[in-house]
Amino acid sequence: MNPRTAPVAPEPPAWQTANDEFDAGRVLRLAFTAKSGEQVSVAVTLGWLQTWKKTPLSLTQRQTVRTACIQIAKDTIHPCLGARRVAHEPVGAWMASPSPGVTITWRPHWRDPEVPVMLTLDKF
């Protein structure tokens, strides 16, 4: 297995699109099932959802992204994800690498700072 890489900030056009969707309220909820069987609600932009549906990810990559989103939603992010702030504006956005070559970004929900919204999902 390849070592996990550090998260990579999204390209400016993708970042701008994700934040435009966020600002316009184009956000919906997904329910992921944790290993315990618990349903965890995760907020995502429409672009994140389209990428999730269309990007060819292996089963392992899908599982690690799903697990990372659950951890982010529950504010229990494992250190191995390498979570760090995104250098782009707006301030307050984060990124992590749940799997080698995969980065997800998120920021707090505009109505509820306790609810993170997944902004981008990138595979390199």
Side-chain angles (χ1 to χ4, degrees):
M1 180 181 221
N2 295 333
R4 182 170 292 142
T5 55
V8 177
E11 294 293 324
W15 184 247
Q16 184 64 49
T17 299
N19 281 285
D20 288 348
E21 287 183 344
F22 176 92
D23 292 340
R26 289 186 222 130
V27 173
L28 52 92
R29 299 274 182 144
L30 291 180
F32 286 137
T33 304
K35 288 183 180 182
S36 66
E38 173 190 10
Q39 292 287 310
V40 178
S41 182
V42 177
V44 300
T45 61
L46 293 179
W48 191 99
L49 182 61
Q50 289 175 342
T51 303
W52 174 252
K53 288 180 176 181
K54 294 180 180 180
T55 301
L57 297 170
S58 69
L59 179 58
T60 300
Q61 288 171 320
R62 286 202 179 275
Q63 289 172 334
T64 59
V65 169
R66 189 178 297 119
T67 299
C69 289
I70 289 168
Q71 289 177 7
I72 292 163
K74 295 178 83 174
D75 196 25
T76 57
I77 303 167
H78 195 282
C80 76
L81 296 178
R84 60 189 69 173
R85 293 227 182 241
V86 177
H88 307 321
E89 289 293 330
V91 174
W94 289 81
M95 63 182 167
S97 180
S99 183
V102 177
T103 296
I104 55 176
T105 62
W106 69 95
R107 63 188 273 208
H109 197 284
W110 62 91
R111 265 186 290 165
D112 184 354
E114 299 298 314
V115 177
V117 177
M118 303 302 138
L119 297 171
T120 63
L121 169 62
D122 295 302
K123 180 180 177 190
F124 302 95

mmCIF file of all heavy atoms in Angstrom, residues 6-42:
data_model
loop_
_atom_site.group_PDB
_atom_site.id
_atom_site.type_symbol
_atom_site.label_atom_id
_atom_site.label_comp_id
_atom_site.label_asym_id
_atom_site.label_seq_id
_atom_site.Cartn_x
_atom_site.Cartn_y
_atom_site.Cartn_z
ATOM 1 N N ALA A 6 0.026 14.030 1.850
ATOM 2 C CA ALA A 6 -0.564 15.192 2.510
ATOM 3 C C ALA A 6 -1.693 15.727 1.636
ATOM 4 O O ALA A 6 -1.670 15.556 0.411
ATOM 5 C CB ALA A 6 0.502 16.265 2.714
ATOM 6 N N PRO A 7 -2.683 16.360 2.248
ATOM 7 C CA PRO A 7 -3.749 16.936 1.435
ATOM 8 C C PRO A 7 -3.204 18.032 0.523
ATOM 9 O O PRO A 7 -2.227 18.707 0.850
ATOM 10 C CB PRO A 7 -4.726 17.512 2.461
ATOM 11 C CG PRO A 7 -3.996 17.545 3.751
ATOM 12 C CD PRO A 7 -2.859 16.591 3.663
ATOM 13 N N VAL A 8 -3.833 18.179 -0.630
ATOM 14 C CA VAL A 8 -3.435 19.175 -1.624
ATOM 15 C C VAL A 8 -4.597 20.146 -1.791
ATOM 16 O O VAL A 8 -5.729 19.723 -2.055
ATOM 17 C CB VAL A 8 -3.109 18.494 -2.972
ATOM 18 C CG1 VAL A 8 -2.773 19.524 -4.029
ATOM 19 C CG2 VAL A 8 -1.981 17.490 -2.803
ATOM 20 N N ALA A 9 -4.310 21.426 -1.652
ATOM 21 C CA ALA A 9 -5.366 22.436 -1.797
ATOM 22 C C ALA A 9 -5.970 22.370 -3.198
ATOM 23 O O ALA A 9 -5.257 22.120 -4.174
ATOM 24 C CB ALA A 9 -4.805 23.824 -1.529
ATOM 25 N N PRO A 10 -7.280 22.573 -3.309
ATOM 26 C CA PRO A 10 -7.919 22.528 -4.627
ATOM 27 C C PRO A 10 -7.430 23.667 -5.528
ATOM 28 O O PRO A 10 -6.981 24.708 -5.043
ATOM 29 C CB PRO A 10 -9.409 22.689 -4.320
ATOM 30 C CG PRO A 10 -9.522 22.988 -2.886
ATOM 31 C CD PRO A 10 -8.195 22.851 -2.240
ATOM 32 N N GLU A 11 -7.554 23.437 -6.808
ATOM 33 C CA GLU A 11 -7.218 24.473 -7.784
ATOM 34 C C GLU A 11 -8.184 25.643 -7.606
ATOM 35 O O GLU A 11 -9.350 25.438 -7.252
ATOM 36 C CB GLU A 11 -7.310 23.913 -9.211
ATOM 37 C CG GLU A 11 -6.273 22.842 -9.516
ATOM 38 C CD GLU A 11 -4.859 23.387 -9.524
ATOM 39 O OE1 GLU A 11 -4.648 24.535 -9.963
ATOM 40 O OE2 GLU A 11 -3.950 22.662 -9.077
ATOM 41 N N PRO A 12 -7.723 26.877 -7.867
ATOM 42 C CA PRO A 12 -8.582 28.045 -7.656
ATOM 43 C C PRO A 12 -9.964 27.982 -8.329
ATOM 44 O O PRO A 12 -10.953 28.336 -7.681
ATOM 45 C CB PRO A 12 -7.741 29.205 -8.182
ATOM 46 C CG PRO A 12 -6.331 28.765 -7.914
ATOM 47 C CD PRO A 12 -6.348 27.268 -8.204
ATOM 48 N N PRO A 13 -10.090 27.519 -9.590
ATOM 49 C CA PRO A 13 -11.440 27.491 -10.166
ATOM 50 C C PRO A 13 -12.385 26.536 -9.413
ATOM 51 O O PRO A 13 -13.550 26.871 -9.170
ATOM 52 C CB PRO A 13 -11.226 27.004 -11.608
ATOM 53 C CG PRO A 13 -9.797 27.287 -11.905
ATOM 54 C CD PRO A 13 -9.070 27.159 -10.590
ATOM 55 N N ALA A 14 -11.891 25.372 -9.022
ATOM 56 C CA ALA A 14 -12.722 24.411 -8.291
ATOM 57 C C ALA A 14 -13.074 24.968 -6.911
ATOM 58 O O ALA A 14 -14.200 24.784 -6.427
ATOM 59 C CB ALA A 14 -11.992 23.074 -8.156
ATOM 60 N N TRP A 15 -12.118 25.634 -6.275
ATOM 61 C CA TRP A 15 -12.351 26.215 -4.962
ATOM 62 C C TRP A 15 -13.418 27.301 -5.043
ATOM 63 O O TRP A 15 -14.320 27.382 -4.215
ATOM 64 C CB TRP A 15 -11.042 26.760 -4.401
ATOM 65 C CG TRP A 15 -11.159 27.297 -3.021
ATOM 66 C CD1 TRP A 15 -11.022 28.587 -2.639
ATOM 67 C CD2 TRP A 15 -11.443 26.552 -1.835
ATOM 68 N NE1 TRP A 15 -11.205 28.697 -1.287
ATOM 69 C CE2 TRP A 15 -11.464 27.462 -0.773
ATOM 70 C CE3 TRP A 15 -11.682 25.213 -1.576
ATOM 71 C CZ2 TRP A 15 -11.711 27.071 0.546
ATOM 72 C CZ3 TRP A 15 -11.928 24.813 -0.274
ATOM 73 C CH2 TRP A 15 -11.941 25.735 0.771
ATOM 74 N N GLN A 16 -13.312 28.155 -6.066
ATOM 75 C CA GLN A 16 -14.282 29.237 -6.239
ATOM 76 C C GLN A 16 -15.683 28.675 -6.480
ATOM 77 O O GLN A 16 -16.650 29.134 -5.883
ATOM 78 C CB GLN A 16 -13.875 30.143 -7.411
ATOM 79 C CG GLN A 16 -14.790 31.337 -7.580
ATOM 80 C CD GLN A 16 -14.738 32.273 -6.398
ATOM 81 O OE1 GLN A 16 -13.662 32.657 -5.948
ATOM 82 N NE2 GLN A 16 -15.892 32.637 -5.860
ATOM 83 N N THR A 17 -15.780 27.659 -7.328
ATOM 84 C CA THR A 17 -17.075 27.041 -7.616
ATOM 85 C C THR A 17 -17.682 26.454 -6.353
ATOM 86 O O THR A 17 -18.866 26.644 -6.073
ATOM 87 C CB THR A 17 -16.925 25.945 -8.698
ATOM 88 O OG1 THR A 17 -16.436 26.560 -9.898
ATOM 89 C CG2 THR A 17 -18.234 25.244 -8.967
ATOM 90 N N ALA A 18 -16.884 25.747 -5.576
ATOM 91 C CA ALA A 18 -17.386 25.131 -4.342
ATOM 92 C C ALA A 18 -17.891 26.186 -3.373
ATOM 93 O O ALA A 18 -18.957 26.031 -2.760
ATOM 94 C CB ALA A 18 -16.285 24.294 -3.695
ATOM 95 N N ASN A 19 -17.159 27.268 -3.225
ATOM 96 C CA ASN A 19 -17.580 28.315 -2.301
ATOM 97 C C ASN A 19 -18.763 29.115 -2.829
ATOM 98 O O ASN A 19 -19.596 29.582 -2.050
ATOM 99 C CB ASN A 19 -16.396 29.211 -1.929
ATOM 100 C CG ASN A 19 -15.532 28.535 -0.891
ATOM 101 O OD1 ASN A 19 -15.896 28.473 0.275
ATOM 102 N ND2 ASN A 19 -14.413 27.976 -1.326
ATOM 103 N N ASP A 20 -18.876 29.247 -4.148
ATOM 104 C CA ASP A 20 -20.075 29.878 -4.729
ATOM 105 C C ASP A 20 -21.309 29.030 -4.427
ATOM 106 O O ASP A 20 -22.365 29.569 -4.081
ATOM 107 C CB ASP A 20 -19.923 30.060 -6.237
ATOM 108 C CG ASP A 20 -18.931 31.159 -6.614
ATOM 109 O OD1 ASP A 20 -18.529 31.947 -5.726
ATOM 110 O OD2 ASP A 20 -18.546 31.215 -7.801
ATOM 111 N N GLU A 21 -21.178 27.706 -4.564
ATOM 112 C CA GLU A 21 -22.295 26.814 -4.226
ATOM 113 C C GLU A 21 -22.649 26.932 -2.740
ATOM 114 O O GLU A 21 -23.825 26.997 -2.385
ATOM 115 C CB GLU A 21 -21.947 25.360 -4.551
ATOM 116 C CG GLU A 21 -21.946 25.054 -6.014
ATOM 117 C CD GLU A 21 -21.680 23.595 -6.310
ATOM 118 O OE1 GLU A 21 -21.192 22.847 -5.431
ATOM 119 O OE2 GLU A 21 -21.971 23.200 -7.450
ATOM 120 N N PHE A 22 -21.636 26.951 -1.905
ATOM 121 C CA PHE A 22 -21.838 27.102 -0.463
ATOM 122 C C PHE A 22 -22.595 28.402 -0.170
ATOM 123 O O PHE A 22 -23.593 28.411 0.547
ATOM 124 C CB PHE A 22 -20.478 27.089 0.239
ATOM 125 C CG PHE A 22 -20.531 27.320 1.714
ATOM 126 C CD1 PHE A 22 -20.613 26.257 2.592
ATOM 127 C CD2 PHE A 22 -20.486 28.606 2.232
ATOM 128 C CE1 PHE A 22 -20.649 26.465 3.975
ATOM 129 C CE2 PHE A 22 -20.520 28.822 3.602
ATOM 130 C CZ PHE A 22 -20.604 27.754 4.467
ATOM 131 N N ASP A 23 -22.113 29.513 -0.746
ATOM 132 C CA ASP A 23 -22.723 30.823 -0.506
ATOM 133 C C ASP A 23 -24.159 30.890 -1.011
ATOM 134 O O ASP A 23 -24.995 31.578 -0.427
ATOM 135 C CB ASP A 23 -21.895 31.934 -1.155
ATOM 136 C CG ASP A 23 -20.535 32.129 -0.490
ATOM 137 O OD1 ASP A 23 -20.360 31.692 0.674
ATOM 138 O OD2 ASP A 23 -19.650 32.713 -1.139
ATOM 139 N N ALA A 24 -24.439 30.175 -2.107
ATOM 140 C CA ALA A 24 -25.790 30.168 -2.681
ATOM 141 C C ALA A 24 -26.712 29.175 -1.976
ATOM 142 O O ALA A 24 -27.898 29.090 -2.292
ATOM 143 C CB ALA A 24 -25.715 29.842 -4.175
ATOM 144 N N GLY A 25 -26.170 28.421 -1.029
ATOM 145 C CA GLY A 25 -26.995 27.455 -0.304
ATOM 146 C C GLY A 25 -27.261 26.173 -1.069
ATOM 147 O O GLY A 25 -28.161 25.416 -0.731
ATOM 148 N N ARG A 26 -26.452 25.890 -2.086
ATOM 149 C CA ARG A 26 -26.593 24.637 -2.840
ATOM 150 C C ARG A 26 -25.892 23.516 -2.089
ATOM 151 O O ARG A 26 -24.861 22.998 -2.512
ATOM 152 C CB ARG A 26 -26.039 24.798 -4.245
ATOM 153 C CG ARG A 26 -26.917 25.683 -5.092
ATOM 154 C CD ARG A 26 -26.459 25.730 -6.528
ATOM 155 N NE ARG A 26 -26.579 27.113 -6.920
ATOM 156 C CZ ARG A 26 -25.658 27.840 -7.498
ATOM 157 N NH1 ARG A 26 -24.518 27.310 -7.825
ATOM 158 N NH2 ARG A 26 -25.845 29.098 -7.764
ATOM 159 N N VAL A 27 -26.477 23.206 -0.945
ATOM 160 C CA VAL A 27 -25.928 22.214 -0.028
ATOM 161 C C VAL A 27 -27.046 21.260 0.347
ATOM 162 O O VAL A 27 -28.186 21.672 0.535
ATOM 163 C CB VAL A 27 -25.384 22.914 1.246
ATOM 164 C CG1 VAL A 27 -24.961 21.919 2.297
ATOM 165 C CG2 VAL A 27 -24.221 23.836 0.883
ATOM 166 N N LEU A 28 -26.729 19.988 0.407
ATOM 167 C CA LEU A 28 -27.722 19.006 0.835
ATOM 168 C C LEU A 28 -27.099 18.038 1.812
ATOM 169 O O LEU A 28 -25.904 18.063 2.058
ATOM 170 C CB LEU A 28 -28.327 18.274 -0.366
ATOM 171 C CG LEU A 28 -27.353 17.645 -1.373
ATOM 172 C CD1 LEU A 28 -27.077 16.228 -1.009
ATOM 173 C CD2 LEU A 28 -27.942 17.757 -2.743
ATOM 174 N N ARG A 29 -27.935 17.203 2.376
ATOM 175 C CA ARG A 29 -27.462 16.244 3.388
ATOM 176 C C ARG A 29 -27.418 14.845 2.808
ATOM 177 O O ARG A 29 -28.308 14.439 2.063
ATOM 178 C CB ARG A 29 -28.394 16.236 4.599
ATOM 179 C CG ARG A 29 -28.499 17.538 5.325
ATOM 180 C CD ARG A 29 -27.403 17.672 6.341
ATOM 181 N NE ARG A 29 -27.557 18.938 7.057
ATOM 182 C CZ ARG A 29 -27.288 19.090 8.305
ATOM 183 N NH1 ARG A 29 -26.865 18.089 9.034
ATOM 184 N NH2 ARG A 29 -27.420 20.255 8.870
ATOM 185 N N LEU A 30 -26.379 14.128 3.164
ATOM 186 C CA LEU A 30 -26.233 12.704 2.858
ATOM 187 C C LEU A 30 -26.169 11.977 4.188
ATOM 188 O O LEU A 30 -25.702 12.526 5.175
ATOM 189 C CB LEU A 30 -24.928 12.412 2.128
ATOM 190 C CG LEU A 30 -24.723 12.891 0.721
ATOM 191 C CD1 LEU A 30 -23.331 12.472 0.243
ATOM 192 C CD2 LEU A 30 -25.759 12.314 -0.199
ATOM 193 N N ALA A 31 -26.600 10.750 4.201
ATOM 194 C CA ALA A 31 -26.462 9.932 5.403
ATOM 195 C C ALA A 31 -25.469 8.822 5.099
ATOM 196 O O ALA A 31 -25.676 8.032 4.178
ATOM 197 C CB ALA A 31 -27.801 9.351 5.818
ATOM 198 N N PHE A 32 -24.373 8.797 5.835
ATOM 199 C CA PHE A 32 -23.399 7.725 5.739
ATOM 200 C C PHE A 32 -23.581 6.819 6.950
ATOM 201 O O PHE A 32 -23.894 7.286 8.040
ATOM 202 C CB PHE A 32 -21.969 8.264 5.725
ATOM 203 C CG PHE A 32 -21.555 8.915 4.434
ATOM 204 C CD1 PHE A 32 -20.845 10.096 4.440
ATOM 205 C CD2 PHE A 32 -21.847 8.336 3.208
ATOM 206 C CE1 PHE A 32 -20.435 10.690 3.260
ATOM 207 C CE2 PHE A 32 -21.441 8.924 2.016
ATOM 208 C CZ PHE A 32 -20.739 10.103 2.042
ATOM 209 N N THR A 33 -23.362 5.531 6.739
ATOM 210 C CA THR A 33 -23.479 4.575 7.831
ATOM 211 C C THR A 33 -22.107 4.301 8.417
ATOM 212 O O THR A 33 -21.197 3.860 7.709
ATOM 213 C CB THR A 33 -24.120 3.259 7.334
ATOM 214 O OG1 THR A 33 -25.375 3.563 6.734
ATOM 215 C CG2 THR A 33 -24.324 2.298 8.480
ATOM 216 N N ALA A 34 -21.967 4.577 9.700
ATOM 217 C CA ALA A 34 -20.712 4.301 10.404
ATOM 218 C C ALA A 34 -20.581 2.801 10.641
ATOM 219 O O ALA A 34 -21.558 2.059 10.534
ATOM 220 C CB ALA A 34 -20.691 5.055 11.738
ATOM 221 N N LYS A 35 -19.384 2.338 10.978
ATOM 222 C CA LYS A 35 -19.158 0.915 11.241
ATOM 223 C C LYS A 35 -20.059 0.397 12.353
ATOM 224 O O LYS A 35 -20.429 -0.768 12.367
ATOM 225 C CB LYS A 35 -17.695 0.651 11.593
ATOM 226 C CG LYS A 35 -16.779 0.767 10.400
ATOM 227 C CD LYS A 35 -15.347 0.427 10.772
ATOM 228 C CE LYS A 35 -14.464 0.546 9.544
ATOM 229 N NZ LYS A 35 -13.083 0.186 9.825
ATOM 230 N N SER A 36 -20.431 1.279 13.267
ATOM 231 C CA SER A 36 -21.311 0.899 14.379
ATOM 232 C C SER A 36 -22.763 0.719 13.929
ATOM 233 O O SER A 36 -23.588 0.246 14.690
ATOM 234 C CB SER A 36 -21.269 1.974 15.458
ATOM 235 O OG SER A 36 -21.845 3.177 14.955
ATOM 236 N N GLY A 37 -23.059 1.118 12.684
ATOM 237 C CA GLY A 37 -24.424 1.055 12.177
ATOM 238 C C GLY A 37 -25.157 2.383 12.312
ATOM 239 O O GLY A 37 -26.246 2.557 11.777
ATOM 240 N N GLU A 38 -24.546 3.327 13.031
ATOM 241 C CA GLU A 38 -25.150 4.654 13.213
ATOM 242 C C GLU A 38 -25.204 5.404 11.892
ATOM 243 O O GLU A 38 -24.256 5.393 11.111
ATOM 244 C CB GLU A 38 -24.306 5.432 14.225
ATOM 245 C CG GLU A 38 -24.713 6.877 14.393
ATOM 246 C CD GLU A 38 -23.718 7.681 15.219
ATOM 247 O OE1 GLU A 38 -22.609 7.180 15.503
ATOM 248 O OE2 GLU A 38 -24.064 8.814 15.562
ATOM 249 N N GLN A 39 -26.333 6.057 11.619
ATOM 250 C CA GLN A 39 -26.470 6.914 10.445
ATOM 251 C C GLN A 39 -25.958 8.304 10.819
ATOM 252 O O GLN A 39 -26.437 8.896 11.782
ATOM 253 C CB GLN A 39 -27.936 7.012 10.015
ATOM 254 C CG GLN A 39 -28.504 5.717 9.470
ATOM 255 C CD GLN A 39 -27.958 5.429 8.084
ATOM 256 O OE1 GLN A 39 -27.983 6.267 7.205
ATOM 257 N NE2 GLN A 39 -27.462 4.220 7.894
ATOM 258 N N VAL A 40 -24.978 8.799 10.073
ATOM 259 C CA VAL A 40 -24.394 10.112 10.342
ATOM 260 C C VAL A 40 -24.710 11.023 9.164
ATOM 261 O O VAL A 40 -24.397 10.706 8.024
ATOM 262 C CB VAL A 40 -22.871 10.007 10.555
ATOM 263 C CG1 VAL A 40 -22.254 11.379 10.775
ATOM 264 C CG2 VAL A 40 -22.558 9.074 11.713
ATOM 265 N N SER A 41 -25.340 12.135 9.459
ATOM 266 C CA SER A 41 -25.701 13.108 8.441
ATOM 267 C C SER A 41 -24.486 13.963 8.104
ATOM 268 O O SER A 41 -23.814 14.484 8.997
ATOM 269 C CB SER A 41 -26.845 13.983 8.956
ATOM 270 O OG SER A 41 -27.238 14.887 7.967
ATOM 271 N N VAL A 42 -24.224 14.102 6.820
ATOM 272 C CA VAL A 42 -23.091 14.887 6.330
ATOM 273 C C VAL A 42 -23.633 15.889 5.320
ATOM 274 O O VAL A 42 -24.423 15.527 4.449
ATOM 275 C CB VAL A 42 -22.044 13.965 5.658
ATOM 276 C CG1 VAL A 42 -20.906 14.768 5.072
ATOM 277 C CG2 VAL A 42 -21.515 12.936 6.647
#
